[in-house]
Amino acid sequence: MTPPGMVRLEFGSAFDMLDFVQVVSDHIGKMAGLDEDQLHWVSVAVRESVVNAIKHGNKNDSSKRVIVEFSPVPPTDAGELVIRIEDQGEGFVPEEVADPLAPENILKSSGRGIFFMRSFMDDVSIARRPGGGVAVRMSKKLA
């Protein structure tokens, strides 16, 4: 059962879903009171996380699921918007992802999504899920 105030999306790994996730993210962000700048950066962070779940986590396997959850915390009079993205891939160790700002990595594309998420959100945690996959938890403080 989905807790009060939570919106949960679950879909097979398909890039076709990105626009739908973005529409939902923007709508929830507006309802939460994010301004236009915050809305844009939260949208970029959500998009990057979902792309990572599809491409790197689930390796474009459409039979594997991606879960995206949006929830205000606490559910009434929320102080923050929490967004969770889960995949069913093999998982990875976040500390082993190359720093995209290091001189030797400037021209490489890897690690940029996680960098963007951490830059645009107030808090980001990445953890392996028991049984496989990765769960990303991002939060944005609300005014």
Side-chain angles (χ1 to χ4, degrees):
M1 177 177 232
T2 303
M6 177 186 283
V7 172
R8 178 184 168 101
L9 308 174
E10 184 172 343
F11 51 91
S13 295
F15 288 112
D16 301 10
M17 294 302 295
L18 283 172
D19 289 340
F20 177 70
V21 172
Q22 185 165 351
V23 167
V24 172
S25 176
D26 289 349
H27 183 72
I28 290 170
K30 285 178 187 172
M31 288 177 29
L34 297 178
D35 65 31
E36 288 301 315
D37 283 344
Q38 292 171 320
L39 205 55
H40 173 74
W41 297 120
V42 166
S43 178
V44 170
V46 169
R47 190 174 192 91
E48 288 293 335
S49 185
V50 172
V51 165
N52 282 352
I54 293 169
K55 182 178 178 182
H56 301 296
N58 291 344
K59 307 238 187 285
N60 298 312
D61 181 343
S62 62
S63 70
K64 291 186 177 180
R65 314 297 286 168
V66 174
I67 297 169
V68 182
E69 295 176 342
F70 301 88
S71 56
V73 177
T76 57
D77 194 28
E80 67 180 348
L81 176 63
V82 174
I83 305 161
R84 286 181 38 88
I85 296 93
E86 297 181 8
D87 65 51
Q88 296 180 322
E90 295 174 15
F92 70 102
V93 178
E95 296 77 26
E96 292 178 4
V97 175
D99 176 4
L101 300 180
E104 66 273 13
N105 298 326
I106 289 294
L107 298 177
K108 296 179 183 175
S109 62
S110 62
R112 299 212 185 284
I114 293 171
F115 174 77
F116 289 149
M117 287 181 259
R118 288 189 169 134
S119 297
F120 303 145
M121 301 298 284
D122 293 315
D123 185 58
V124 176
S125 62
I126 302 169
R128 292 181 112 164
R129 293 177 45 227
V134 168
V136 174
R137 182 190 185 277
M138 304 184 289
S139 66
K140 188 71 174 171
K141 291 181 180 18
L142 303 174

